[in-house]
Amino acid sequence: MKAIVVGGGIGGLAAAVSLRRVGWEVVVYERSESFGEVGAGLGVMPNALRALEWMGVAEEARKLGTPRVSGGVKASDGRWLAHLPEVGQEKIVAMHRADLHGVLLRALPSEILFNNVQVTSVEELDADLVVAADGINSRLRAELLPDAPGPVYAGATAWRGVAPGPHDLPITQTLGPGGEAGVLPLGDGRVCWYVSVVAPPSADLDPVELFADWHDPIPSLIASSPEIIRHDIYQLPPLPTFVSGRVALLGDAAHAMVPYLGQGACMALEDAVTLASVDGDLLRYDALRRPRTQAVWRSSRMAGKFGIEVRSPIALALRNFVFRALPKSTAVRGMTRFSSWQVPAMPR
Ligand SMILES: Cc1cc2nc3c(=O)[nH]c(=O)nc-3n(C[C@H](O)[C@H](O)[C@H](O)COP(=O)(O)OP(=O)(O)OC[C@H]3O[C@@H](n4cnc5c(N)ncnc54)[C@H](O)[C@@H]3O)c2cc1C
């Protein structure tokens, strides 16, 4: 059985690794000049680590990610709203995107990877299974589901970078007025960070100014990053199906979500392993993946409403009070509510 994967991002490569493990002959088509990922960080949660374990690459990923450090949620003045021991490795493995992408790339033989190939229609593809892993602006999705709405602006913009920094920083998510910031130490002298604010699309804003009075090390990480990437945040309204004929949508092509729970790429890894588990039964893939990813999509949206979108001083004080009053076990449950996912049973 032959599968063609369209898109060589984290989702597409994970699909190729997974399908090959259950015996599919796979090729990957990527439109860019080379296979790679932009320089920024990514949180890999325990559910996604389980998917990587099944693919046989989790050990390598763990080694490249955050060491055992504490972590939690802070207010913009640096006070802890929730502080937990051993967040690093236990609750999240923060990785450089290029490192995660590299781990998947090394698990594939180079002769099945074709770059500089821009797929324009499913009709061009001669395969038993086509995996549309071509990202949030998926061309294949637009062809197969022409009536489904496309991506919509989610009301916020984000900047991301990698800066030099100490090995033992805690992993933090900081919530401030109309914005949030994340610090993801990699344990090798590099610290990945992201900041986002509520803003109109393409607004002329400078993150150095916006986050100047947030707690350390946020301002210094922004200032010392050699390169800063900016993304306006878009999300894909829930689709009526993830499959059409022999085509399965996977990753952001199926369910691009706001990044406030850090589960977008994790869902793509789960999709990949699940697709390998259904033995070509795409309706089963849709039944297993659509409810789960759409629940995570909705919760991510909700996390934004109680996080980045809170702006008035009264609402902010109330939100922070509730956070601090929560018992640790509730905070842990909140952070890990999608982490218990298990790899589905595989075909014999
Ligand atoms: C600010 C921000 C922070 C985030 N933080 C996290 C996090 O902490 N944890 C997490 O899990 N997720 C996070 N995410 C989400 C995560 O980045 C995405 O969900 C994930 O990268 C999607 O991977 P993908 O492979 O589905 O799509 P993409 O990475 O978009 O890959 C699609 C690939 O397809 C190729 N392509 C497109 N069209 C064609 C075509 N016609 N023919 C051939 N190739 C094509 C593209 O060149 C690209 O390489 C974050 C997202 C943002 C914006």
Side-chain angles (χ1 to χ4, degrees):
M1 298 285 275
K2 183 180 169 189
I4 293 179
V5 177
V6 181
I10 288 167
L13 294 190
V17 174
S18 301
L19 289 168
R20 278 170 52 83
R21 287 213 75 189
V22 292
W24 287 79
E25 187 191 313
V26 183
V27 293
V28 183
Y29 293 149
E30 164 58 47
R31 68 177 171 191
S32 307
E33 277 178 20
S34 59
F35 282 81
E37 262 284 347
V38 291
L42 193 70
V44 181
M45 310 296 175
N47 48 313
L49 274 163
R50 253 169 248 127
L52 292 174
E53 247 154 47
W54 185 82
M55 290 178 219
V57 296
E59 264 325 290
E60 206 186 335
R62 278 188 192 278
K63 277 190 211 138
L64 292 168
T66 332
R68 292 190 180 277
V69 288
S70 73
V73 183
K74 285 188 163 191
S76 54
D77 60 8
R79 272 175 310 153
W80 286 104
L81 301 178
H83 188 198
L84 305 165
E86 301 230 324
V87 166
Q89 296 276 329
E90 287 292 322
K91 309 270 181 280
I92 179 172
V93 175
M95 295 188 70
H96 194 292
R97 277 168 177 271
D99 288 344
L100 176 59
H101 190 267
V103 164
L104 294 167
L105 203 57
R106 284 192 289 283
L108 292 167
S110 57
E111 60 272 18
I112 71 157
L113 303 169
F114 297 89
N115 50 311
N116 277 323
V117 182
Q118 164 117 16
V119 174
T120 54
S121 166
V122 172
E123 301 301 320
E124 308 163 8
L125 305 172
D126 179 18
D128 303 292
L129 167 67
V130 173
V131 182
D134 49 347
I136 185 169
N137 295 309
S138 169
R139 194 159 185 158
L140 297 190
R141 182 186 66 235
E143 180 186 355
L144 298 166
L145 304 174
D147 297 331
V152 292
Y153 187 57
T157 192
W159 295 265
R160 292 178 283 171
V162 186
H167 291 213
D168 55 353
L169 277 178
I171 297 180
T172 53
Q173 180 191 25
T174 301
L175 302 174
E180 72 165 30
V183 174
L184 305 167
L186 299 186
D188 60 0
R190 293 177 298 167
V191 181
C192 296
W193 59 268
Y194 65 87
V195 293
S196 43
V197 291
V198 173
S202 312
D204 183 16
L205 296 168
D206 180 358
V208 175
E209 279 171 26
L210 288 170
F211 291 86
D213 59 358
W214 284 45
H215 68 82
D216 281 336
I218 296 164
S220 59
L221 289 174
I222 301 174
S224 61
S225 293
E227 192 193 351
I228 296 180
I229 304 161
R230 172 160 181 194
H231 268 109
D232 283 342
I233 298 175
Y234 283 78
Q235 60 186 344
L236 186 69
L239 295 177
T241 178
F242 286 178
V243 303
S244 172
R246 64 198 167 108
V247 185
L249 298 170
L250 180 145
D252 277 11
H255 46 64
M257 57 188 71
V258 289
Y260 310 131
L261 289 181
Q263 281 280 4
C266 297
M267 287 300 113
L269 297 174
E270 286 187 13
D271 290 348
V273 169
T274 306
L275 186 59
S277 81
V278 298
D279 213 6
D281 181 352
L282 295 191
L283 292 179
R284 182 157 167 71
Y285 168 75
D286 181 54
L288 287 171
R289 293 311 298 157
R290 205 153 40 85
R292 163 127 176 117
T293 53
Q294 293 180 348
V296 179
W297 188 97
R298 284 191 300 274
S299 290
S300 301
R301 206 54 232 108
M302 202 50 87
K305 297 234 173 294
F306 289 103
I308 186 171
E309 288 172 25
V310 176
R311 285 201 268 189
S312 88
I314 295 173
L316 212 64
L318 188 65
R319 196 256 329 266
N320 291 355
F321 171 78
V322 170
F323 244 111
R324 276 200 301 272
L326 283 177
K328 254 188 191 164
S329 55
T330 314
V332 174
R333 265 204 307 280
M335 283 174 80
T336 58
R337 65 186 174 285
F338 292 110
S339 296
S340 60
W341 176 86
Q342 298 291 335
V343 172
M346 287 293 150
R348 283 168 190 275

